[in-house]
């Protein structure tokens, strides 16, 4: 019988186990063993348990005193377990996106562990486990005698002692301070008399409180099996692609061989010179066969079973567990967004370190809002229409879809392969660690200028202030638009810009109505509208729809902001358009539907907050105008390519030099924003071509593919403003 060294298999804290009745004979046996050890100071105490006592001449009675002053019980906390992030199919079936862990473990109950495993653990590590009270006196004496005789150093720790050691080590691993962790680890593993006495005392304490089966179960759940594989369930899955309950006899013995000394006996390195596939994993086989011999010796298996198991080769079937969002592949950027929520939302802990530690060790099952049908449509549309890299500029394309009225994020994708590894990212421009859809403090970029899609907030302010869609303004291009009212600036409430924007198609009309300027996205028309408004009011209306800069800075409220110079994350714009489509009620984005803890309880999750951004009648009028943008304005390419069609609103955006292009819109059920932007460098998208066609129109090939799926799945109702007809030049809308 051997125990593990400081770098051996037991490196974690045990989880809660059920109290049992008082094990009187076991406890008495343990205490009598201790008395015998102390009385035989010349042998057990002096040579084995506390060798320094022999040197100092300390009396056996002093040893007993020291022992009795030690703590008598180790508090047991929950085991660290891996957490999982899921999407859910329409039929309710969960689909694993990624797992996260410091320790790859899934805790299982007594009935979920093969009897072969239980018998192999006892036969190999502690044959008298069910007879002693926490300390195997016979095994300890044998180990001391053999060590004193000059034989190889022998371990003498019982399974309960090994369990205690693992519990203490796992407590150390929960410490965030590295120095404190090292000090704690040394105290839990260093080969000193004090440490050994403490371990023995605590082992007896565990045996006083808990039944043998519970202790063995927790030992099998806490034990290390090499690397970051912990617990028998994870070990069965990792090494043999099966479960703890389905392990065969030779597999069970092979895994319990690893526990004895993972560095020596683990079987996931086929090219190992000492224990690789070429030599049949010899060291593991030797230890496995010893365990099988012990199982036969103690009557746990038949001779026929023993012989068949001994003759069976060790043939691991390594199942590398997923870890991190890169395993979510095309869904990785959404997965990354979820992890940032878990890191930053105070619902999950007092600070970022605590939150992510809770997640990596808490055994959470996180069920997200991702709609796999819309997500697949988004991914396929991006892949078909925008390359992952392009000569001369780093092209980025992104999609965010949000459920109207709930804020649930249904799709999030971009035209890059996900990685957080700098070495991988350096291999090519197709990789990125940055989520282009989200804010900077959510793992995203500093945002992108949305261009004319931002005009919807000036339209909202225009209508709030009592103006109509049919009202005309002086919209002729000019060299200098002069001053603009801006109450945010205080008493001197004018914003002066030497600024002369032009229209995208060089329109020169000087008397556009608000509706015409919206349908055809006339810059000068909107600047003329802004001249009659308060720039501060426009900014506040945008903020009422949840709009904010992706870099966390305040929104710029200059006249140029009217046509979209603020850098905004696509998800933010999707939330805003969902608010326009929802009678002016904006609901903040959420990505998590529910979280189930390892014990089956549900944890609180962030909720969407819905607020009335503009009065319903303002939203209805906005919807009326934005439906015409779809049917007869700048978004007709997206509208005509969508099938099936339901009532939809939309707005396009193009920045200076056609560097960035946008299509934003919604039905009464789903809002989607598509952007094609320059991450670095720049190119005029109107003279640049992808394999799918002109770069500037890629948005109109992507958006309809996603909204066609959304319309088919979610449908869509008429907007309160009704179905507009194309206005005549003289019609006062």
């Amino acid at each position: 019988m051997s125990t593990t060294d400081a770098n051996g298999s037991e490196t974690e804290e045990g989880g809660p186990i059920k109290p049992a009745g008082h094990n009187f004979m076991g406890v008495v046996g343990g205490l009598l063993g201790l008395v015998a050890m102390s009385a035989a100071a010349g042998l057990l105490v002096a040579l084995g348990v506390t060798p320094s006592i022999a040197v100092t001449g300390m009396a056996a009675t002093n040893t007993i005193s020291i022992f009795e002053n030690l703590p008598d019980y180790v508090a047991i906390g929950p085991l660290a377990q891996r957490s999982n992030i899921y999407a859910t199919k329409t039929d309710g079936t969960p689909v694993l996106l990624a797992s996260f862990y410091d320790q790859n473990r899934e805790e299982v109950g007594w009935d979920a562990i093969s009897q072969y495993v239980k018998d192999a653990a006892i036969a190999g590590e502690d044959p008298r486990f069910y007879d002693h009270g926490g300390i195997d006196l016979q095994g300890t004496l044998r180990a001391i005698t053999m060590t004193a005789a000059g034989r190889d150093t022998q371990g003498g720790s019982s399974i309960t002692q090994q369990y205690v050691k693992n519990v203490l080590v796992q407590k150390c691993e929960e410490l965030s301070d590295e120095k404190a962790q090292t000090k704690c680890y040394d105290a839990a593993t260093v080969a000193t008399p004090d440490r050994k006495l403490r371990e023995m005392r605590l082992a007896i304490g565990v045996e006083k409180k808990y039944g043998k089966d519970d202790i063995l179960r927790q030992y099998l759940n806490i034990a290390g099996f090499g690397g970051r594989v912990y617990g028998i369930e994870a070990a069965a899955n990792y090494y043999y692609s099966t479960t703890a309950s389905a392990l065969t006899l030779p597999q069970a013995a092979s895994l319990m061989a690893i526990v004895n000394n993972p560095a020596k006996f683990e079987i996931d390195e086929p090219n190992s010179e000492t224990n690789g596939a070429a030599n049949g994993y010899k060291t593991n086989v030797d230890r496995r066969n010893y365990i099988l011999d012990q199982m036969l010796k103690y009557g746990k298996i038949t001779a026929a079973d023993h012989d068949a198991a001994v003759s069976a080769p060790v043939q691991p079937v390594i199942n590398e567990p997923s870890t991190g969002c890169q395993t979510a592949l095309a869904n990785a950027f959404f997965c990354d967004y979820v992890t940032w929520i878990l890191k930053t939302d105070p619902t999950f802990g007092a600070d970022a370190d605590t939150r992510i530690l809770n997640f990596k060790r808490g055994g959470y099952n996180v069920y997200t809002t991702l709609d796999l049908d819309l997500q697949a449509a988004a991914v396929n549309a991006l892949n078909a229409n925008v390359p992952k890299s392009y000569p001369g500029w780093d092209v980025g394309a992104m999609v965010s879809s949000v459920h109207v009225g709930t804020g649930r994020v249904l799709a999030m994708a971009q035209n890059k392969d996900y990685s957080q590894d700098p070495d991988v990212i350096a291999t090519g421009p197709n990789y990125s660690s940055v989520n282009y859809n989200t804010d900077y403090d959510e793992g995203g970029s500093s945002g992108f200028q949305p261009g004319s899609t931002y005009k919807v907030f000036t339209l909202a302010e225009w209508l709030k202030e009592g103006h109509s869609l049919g009202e005309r303004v002086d919209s002729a291009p000019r060299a200098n638009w002069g001053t603009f009212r801006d109450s945010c600036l205080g008493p001197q409430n004018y914003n002066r810009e030497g600024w002369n924007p032009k229209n995208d198609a060089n329109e020169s009309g000087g008397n556009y109505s608000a509706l015409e300027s919206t349908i055809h996205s006339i810059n000068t028309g909107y600047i003329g509208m802004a001249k009659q408004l308060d720039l501060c009011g426009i900014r506040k209306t945008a903020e009422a729809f949840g709009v904010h800069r992706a870099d966390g800075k305040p929104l710029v409220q200059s006249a140029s902001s009217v046509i979209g110079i603020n850098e905004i994350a696509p998800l933010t714009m999707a939330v805003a358009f969902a608010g326009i489509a929802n009678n002016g009620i904006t609901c903040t984005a959420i990505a998590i539907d529910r979280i189930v803890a390892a014990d089956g309880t549900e944890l609180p999750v962030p909720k969407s907050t819905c607020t009335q951004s503009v009065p319903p009648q303002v939203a209805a009028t906005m919807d009326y105008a934005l439906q015409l943008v779809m049917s007869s304005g700048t978004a007709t390419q997206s509208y005509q390519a969508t099938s099936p069609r339901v009532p939809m609103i939309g707005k396009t955006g193009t920045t200076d030099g056609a560097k960035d292009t946008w299509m934003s819109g919604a039905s009464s059920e789903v809002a989607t924003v598509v952007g094609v932007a320059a991450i670095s460098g720049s190119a005029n998208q109107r003279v640049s071509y992808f394999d799918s066609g002109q770069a500037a129109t890629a948005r109109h090939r992507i958006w309809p593919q996603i909204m066609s799926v959304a319309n088919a799945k979610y449908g869509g109702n008429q907007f309160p403003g009704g179905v507009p007809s194309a206005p005549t030049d003289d019609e006062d809308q």
Side-chain angles (χ1 to χ4, degrees):
M1 179 178 67
S2 302
T3 187
T4 59
D5 58 20
N7 297 315
S9 60
E10 290 123 353
T11 55
E12 305 182 287
E13 179 178 349
I17 50 183
K18 296 180 289 185
H22 183 70
N23 185 358
F24 180 77
M25 291 306 296
V27 173
V28 170
L31 293 175
L32 288 176
L34 289 169
V35 172
M37 283 164 37
S38 297
L43 177 60
L44 180 60
V45 177
L47 292 178
V49 181
T50 55
S52 62
I53 295 173
V55 177
T56 61
M58 183 179 291
T61 53
N62 289 340
T63 304
I64 296 173
S65 175
I66 292 172
F67 186 90
E68 290 178 344
N69 288 330
L70 288 170
D72 63 357
Y73 181 61
V74 58
I76 300 172
L79 286 170
Q81 298 188 71
R82 69 172 177 261
S83 292
N84 304 306
I85 294 178
Y86 293 95
T88 305
K89 291 182 178 180
T90 303
D91 65 4
T93 304
V95 176
L96 180 67
L97 299 181
S99 296
F100 299 80
Y101 53 81
D102 283 336
Q103 301 169 351
N104 177 23
R105 175 194 286 110
E106 180 179 350
E107 187 175 356
V108 290
W110 179 258
D111 292 337
I113 303 172
S114 165
Q115 188 62 41
Y116 289 138
V117 172
K118 301 166 189 174
D119 291 339
I122 293 171
E125 295 295 320
D126 189 357
R128 287 167 289 279
F129 172 71
Y130 279 98
D131 299 323
H132 61 63
I135 301 170
D136 180 16
L137 180 59
Q138 181 178 341
T140 301
L141 288 170
R142 180 181 62 82
I144 294 168
T145 301
M146 295 182 71
T147 301
R151 304 274 295 275
D152 289 341
T153 301
Q154 297 290 313
S157 293
S158 67
I159 281 178
T160 312
Q161 286 175 264
Q162 293 181 45
Y163 172 63
V164 164
K165 179 180 174 182
N166 282 325
V167 170
L168 296 176
V169 168
Q170 176 144 325
K171 284 183 177 295
C172 300
E173 293 183 352
E174 292 177 356
L175 300 174
S176 57
D177 182 79
E178 187 174 343
K179 290 184 178 179
Q181 188 182 70
T182 300
K183 182 178 179 181
C184 176
Y185 184 79
D186 288 343
T189 60
V190 68
T192 64
D194 288 349
R195 199 274 296 173
K196 196 66 175 179
L197 281 171
R198 181 168 181 258
E199 181 184 281
M200 294 166 72
R201 175 64 178 257
L202 294 175
I204 290 177
V206 168
E207 296 255 357
K208 285 181 180 179
K209 289 183 176 288
Y210 302 111
K212 289 286 190 178
D213 287 354
D214 282 332
I215 295 170
L216 180 58
R217 175 181 63 84
Q218 284 300 91
Y219 169 76
L220 292 170
N221 276 312
I222 200 172
F225 289 82
R228 291 199 289 172
V229 181
Y230 294 86
I232 189 60
E233 181 71 11
N237 184 260
Y238 177 74
Y239 288 106
Y240 287 111
S241 296
T242 187
T243 64
S245 63
L247 286 166
T248 65
L249 173 59
Q251 289 173 342
S254 174
L255 292 182
M256 293 317 301
I258 295 173
V259 169
N260 182 264
N261 188 333
K264 183 177 181 181
F265 298 126
E266 65 183 346
I267 52 176
D268 62 347
E269 296 184 14
N271 297 321
S272 169
E273 294 182 3
T274 58
N275 188 39
N279 59 11
Y281 298 100
K282 184 178 186 305
T283 57
N284 182 272
V285 168
D286 289 346
R287 177 69 189 176
R288 179 202 70 174
N289 290 349
Y290 164 78
I291 292 173
L292 292 169
D293 291 346
Q294 291 290 96
M295 294 175 75
L296 177 62
K297 174 181 176 181
Y298 290 103
K300 299 301 181 183
I301 56 176
T302 66
D305 288 340
H306 167 272
D307 293 346
V310 166
S311 62
V314 168
Q315 293 179 319
V317 183
I318 301 299
N319 178 30
E320 193 73 40
S322 66
T323 176
C325 284
Q326 65 272 12
T327 63
L329 302 177
N331 306 319
F333 289 98
F334 174 79
C335 173
D336 185 80
Y337 174 55
V338 173
T339 66
W340 279 92
I341 294 172
L342 294 167
K343 291 176 190 176
T344 57
D345 196 291
T347 302
F348 304 111
D351 55 68
D353 289 343
T354 300
R355 293 168 198 141
I356 199 62
L357 189 65
N358 288 344
F359 174 61
K360 285 188 174 182
R361 295 187 173 187
Y364 297 165
N365 286 318
V366 180
Y367 298 94
T368 68
T369 60
L370 190 69
D371 183 309
L372 291 171
D373 297 325
L374 258 67
Q375 179 71 1
V379 170
N380 292 337
L382 285 172
N383 288 341
N385 290 286
V386 182
K388 296 181 187 295
S389 62
Y390 190 85
W393 57 301
D394 185 9
V395 60
M398 60 289 296
V399 173
S400 284
S401 292
V402 174
H403 188 223
V404 174
T406 67
R408 298 175 71 249
V409 179
L410 302 177
M412 180 178 287
Q414 66 191 54
N415 69 319
K416 299 291 184 180
D417 298 315
Y418 176 88
S419 179
Q420 291 290 340
D421 186 337
D423 293 335
V424 173
I425 293 171
T427 62
N430 58 301
Y431 286 103
S432 179
S433 63
V434 178
N435 188 343
Y436 303 148
N437 284 284
T438 60
D439 291 340
Y440 182 81
D441 64 2
E442 295 171 331
S445 72
S446 56
F448 306 93
Q449 292 185 3
S452 292
T453 54
Y454 199 86
K455 289 174 182 173
V456 296
F457 308 117
T458 296
L459 176 62
E461 182 67 11
W462 176 262
L463 297 171
K464 277 175 58 182
E465 292 298 315
H467 298 282
S468 72
L469 289 177
E471 184 177 337
R472 297 181 181 275
V473 299
D474 182 2
S475 51
R478 63 198 68 181
N480 192 326
W481 280 85
T483 61
F484 293 78
R485 185 160 59 94
D486 188 347
S487 62
C488 290
L489 296 179
Q492 303 298 322
N493 59 354
Y494 287 93
N495 186 303
R496 292 172 172 83
E497 292 188 52
W499 187 55
N500 58 342
K502 299 197 170 39
N503 293 316
D504 189 52
N506 291 317
E507 294 93 342
S508 58
N511 194 30
Y512 284 107
S513 70
L515 182 59
E516 289 170 332
S517 293
T518 301
I519 293 172
H520 302 295
S521 198
I522 307 297
N523 289 339
T524 56
Y526 265 85
I527 298 305
M529 293 162 65
K531 285 283 288 184
Q532 299 185 35
L533 300 172
D534 179 3
L535 295 179
C536 185
I538 296 172
R539 190 197 83 183
K540 289 181 178 178
T541 294
E543 290 172 339
F545 280 102
V547 175
H548 54 275
R549 287 178 61 89
D551 60 9
K553 297 177 182 178
L555 285 174
V556 175
Q557 64 210 36
S558 65
S560 55
S561 70
V562 170
I563 56 175
I565 65 164
N566 280 292
E567 285 86 4
I568 311 296
L571 178 60
T572 298
M573 291 301 291
V575 167
F577 270 79
I580 297 169
N582 189 38
N583 298 316
I585 301 172
T586 304
C587 299
T588 57
I590 55 170
I592 300 172
D593 281 334
R594 53 196 287 258
I595 298 179
V596 180
D599 62 1
T601 60
E602 296 229 4
L603 301 179
V605 298
K607 302 295 184 183
S608 180
T609 301
C610 298
T611 56
Q612 190 78 51
S613 305
V614 293
Q617 63 271 25
V618 169
T621 307
M622 293 176 70
D623 292 335
Y624 180 91
L626 295 175
Q627 286 182 83
L628 285 169
V629 174
M630 296 294 288
S631 61
S632 58
T634 58
T636 54
Q637 290 184 67
S638 282
Y639 178 75
Q640 292 172 357
T642 303
S643 178
R645 286 190 203 135
V646 299
M648 294 182 293
I649 63 173
K651 186 71 187 75
T652 57
T654 303
T655 62
D656 287 349
K659 176 184 176 182
D660 303 333
T661 55
W662 296 90
M663 175 59 209
S664 302
S667 67
S668 64
E669 297 294 326
V670 176
T672 294
V673 169
V674 172
V676 179
I679 307 304
S680 62
S682 65
N684 186 327
Q685 292 189 26
R686 287 182 174 138
V687 297
S688 300
Y689 286 82
F690 303 141
D691 290 344
S692 63
Q694 186 188 43
T697 58
R699 54 183 164 163
H700 294 307
R701 295 189 291 276
I702 298 168
W703 195 89
Q705 289 189 47
I706 301 162
M707 288 303 293
S708 293
V709 174
N711 292 350
K713 185 169 184 176
Y714 291 90
N717 300 318
Q718 295 289 347
F719 292 103
V723 182
S725 58
T728 65
D729 289 341
D730 297 326
E731 188 174 1
D732 184 12
Q733 297 285 353

